Amino acid sequence: MIRPLVVLGATGSVGRQTLAVATKLGAPVAGVAARRGSDELAAVARAYPEALVGVAAPTSEERERFAEFGKRVRFGPDASSELASLPRSTVVNGVVGSAGLRPSVAALEADNRLALANKESLVAGGPVVMDALRRGGGELIPVDSEHSAIFQCMLGEDIETVRRLILTASGGPFRGRTREELETVTPRDALRHPTWTMGARITIDSATLANKAFEVIEAQQLFGVGYDAIEVVVHPQSIIHSFVEFSDGSIKAQLGEPDMRVPIQYAITYPSRLPGSERRPAPASWTLTLEQPDRDAFPALDVISDAGRRGGPYPAAANAADEIAVSAFLTGRLGFAAIADIIERTLDAIPAVPLDTVDDVFAVDREARGVAGALIGAAC
Ligand SMILES: NC(=O)c1ccc[n+]([C@@H]2O[C@H](COP(=O)([O-])OP(=O)(O)OC[C@H]3O[C@@H](n4cnc5c(N)ncnc54)[C@H](OP(=O)(O)O)[C@@H]3O)[C@@H](O)[C@H]2O)c1
């Protein structure tokens, strides 16, 4: 039976696709939340008259407008966590940024199923989220297509027998370009992803390969294998979503046309598979290629993976610095090629403090944002 869904980030790319899946499955929706009290969120709230509505950062005008939802509406930064704690629900976390961390922890502490798209939960707060998973009776099912692929390959397998996780990367819109050629690319160029349609931050992160490094960190947290056992290969067609190699030499992969509704639906219906996409792939029409990533042209891959290896505050700091650098790039204050440099220099400035609680994560997050912002300001 499908549990009532709580959709966090309901107005974003993952959130909209989750609502489309909910409609298709006929799943009840118990809560919807977003950052702003936008017309879109209001329309979603009207479409689900039983659902609680969370608005994390409303303007005063939006507060007035959302008064139409009466007792159903919750305002403020804790709204998403309150919704995520609704008992016996499946929480699809499609929030962008570190704002997704508290609701992830809240969902797991409330024994809910967390269908996790929000990357930053595991990247910035991996140890805290995994601790909440161990403490609570909740479940964590990954939504990101690569981690969903690994999760599916691992069904019926013993983690002790895993030799390598191999994450595929599309390579983004700039695959094949040199470091010099990347000096002059614009946000418009970078927002044109060849295979996936996603929010702005993850699209830029895909262009720098920062996204793939964040996925390496997520995979390490989720599956508990060492960094040396996680590899990245570029696969421009985005059909093979990832591989797992086992100790007997066997390799499993999960394949499918790039369509986020598939892993979203699987995270909701797991362990069942219910009818989903009606598009029938034609494997004979596929050309599947694999190549090494260009680590010189895309230095963010190594800079952020190294932050993962260092552990402690460094993944959280890398995430925060990347968010600030991407936003500066999108607003024309920073060049594309400088994004990795800002992250690296921010990491150099962060002391190795322990990271045990959500508050520790946000302390590092704030510090790294400050450092990255100052570095960008000085570079302008
Ligand atoms: N898109 C994909 O295909 C994809 C694939 C894999 C993983 N992911 C991950 O999933 C997450 C969401 O990505 P996306 O592409 O869907 O992003 P997006 O299109 O930018 O949407 C982000 C959503 O988060 C909401 N939001 C932002 N801050 C919030 C806050 N403080 N509290 C509550 N809601 C907040 C936004 O609300 P407003 O509209 O009001 O601002 C919006 O609904 C990211 O972590 C991304 O890395 C995405």
Side-chain angles (χ1 to χ4, degrees):
M1 205 189 67
I2 298 175
R3 294 183 187 188
L5 299 179
V6 171
V7 185
L8 306 178
T11 52
S13 162
V14 167
R16 288 184 196 133
Q17 294 181 84
T18 302
L19 292 170
V21 168
T23 303
K24 189 145 204 305
L25 293 173
V29 174
V32 291
R35 185 172 58 95
R36 299 292 304 276
S38 58
D39 291 345
E40 181 173 352
L41 184 64
V44 171
R46 285 187 208 105
Y48 297 101
E50 305 296 317
L52 293 184
V53 182
V55 192
T59 61
S60 44
E61 190 202 319
E62 287 166 358
R63 272 178 190 266
E64 278 172 30
R65 244 178 341 120
F66 271 61
E68 80 169 89
F69 301 112
K71 289 194 175 139
R72 294 207 277 144
V73 70
R74 306 283 185 279
F75 294 114
D78 296 332
S80 295
S81 295
E82 186 183 337
L83 268 57
S85 309
L86 282 177
R88 290 174 295 284
S89 51
T90 288
V91 178
V92 182
N93 188 345
V95 171
V96 66
S98 40
L101 174 59
R102 284 188 203 277
S104 284
V105 171
L108 293 170
E109 286 180 343
D111 296 355
N112 283 330
R113 172 177 293 187
L114 174 62
L116 185 61
N118 173 260
K119 227 158 252 204
E120 296 80 1
S121 290
L122 282 174
V123 171
V128 176
V129 172
M130 297 312 281
D131 180 54
L133 177 63
R134 277 186 292 270
R135 276 186 292 109
E139 297 173 281
L140 198 173
I141 316 287
V143 164
D144 219 345
S145 58
E146 294 77 2
H147 305 89
S148 174
I150 294 171
F151 182 84
Q152 293 181 57
C153 292
M154 284 306 300
L155 293 175
E157 304 288 354
D158 179 350
I159 193 71
E160 298 299 322
T161 66
V162 169
R163 199 145 68 184
R164 242 181 338 162
L165 305 181
I166 304 167
L167 297 177
T168 52
S170 70
F174 303 137
R175 185 175 63 89
R177 301 218 195 164
T178 63
R179 203 173 177 140
E180 291 69 42
E181 286 166 345
L182 292 174
E183 300 275 340
T184 51
V185 297
T186 65
R188 218 180 125 107
D189 301 329
L191 284 169
R192 236 179 264 134
H193 195 280
T195 47
W196 297 98
T197 306
M198 308 178 287
R201 164 141 191 234
I202 184 173
T203 305
I204 302 302
D205 283 347
S206 299
T208 58
L209 292 199
N211 180 52
K212 208 46 55 178
F214 288 135
E215 289 179 3
V216 167
I217 297 174
E218 277 184 278
Q220 196 282 326
Q221 292 294 330
L222 276 172
F223 302 104
V225 302
Y227 278 98
D228 288 339
I230 308 176
E231 223 172 276
V232 171
V233 290
V234 172
H235 168 51
Q237 298 83 18
S238 301
I239 296 228
I240 307 169
H241 298 308
S242 280
F243 306 85
V244 180
E245 180 191 354
F246 296 93
S247 52
D248 62 355
S250 180
I251 296 181
K252 279 187 176 179
Q254 188 261 344
L255 284 73
E257 303 276 355
D259 179 349
M260 280 306 291
R261 288 169 301 181
V262 177
I264 291 170
Q265 174 168 316
Y266 187 67
I268 292 170
T269 65
Y270 167 81
S272 306
R273 285 192 192 274
L274 298 186
S277 168
E278 265 129 40
R279 274 175 59 197
R280 300 292 303 276
S285 70
W286 290 344
T287 304
L288 305 179
T289 60
L290 297 160
E291 59 197 55
Q292 290 293 342
D294 181 345
R295 294 175 183 274
D296 179 54
F298 301 99
L301 180 57
D302 284 340
V303 167
I304 298 172
S305 300
D306 286 348
R309 283 174 194 271
R310 287 167 78 183
Y314 295 105
N319 169 62
D322 177 73
E323 198 171 313
I324 294 293
V326 166
S327 146
F329 168 65
L330 285 171
T331 49
R333 291 177 291 125
L334 189 72
F336 181 83
I339 295 176
D341 185 50
I342 294 292
I343 300 168
E344 189 167 24
R345 289 168 61 202
T346 302
L347 293 171
D348 287 345
I350 299 291
V353 291
L355 199 92
D356 298 322
T357 64
V358 173
D359 288 340
D360 293 343
V361 176
F362 280 106
V364 170
D365 183 273
R366 272 192 304 277
E367 186 173 1
R369 278 168 202 275
V371 173
L375 288 169
I376 292 165
C380 282

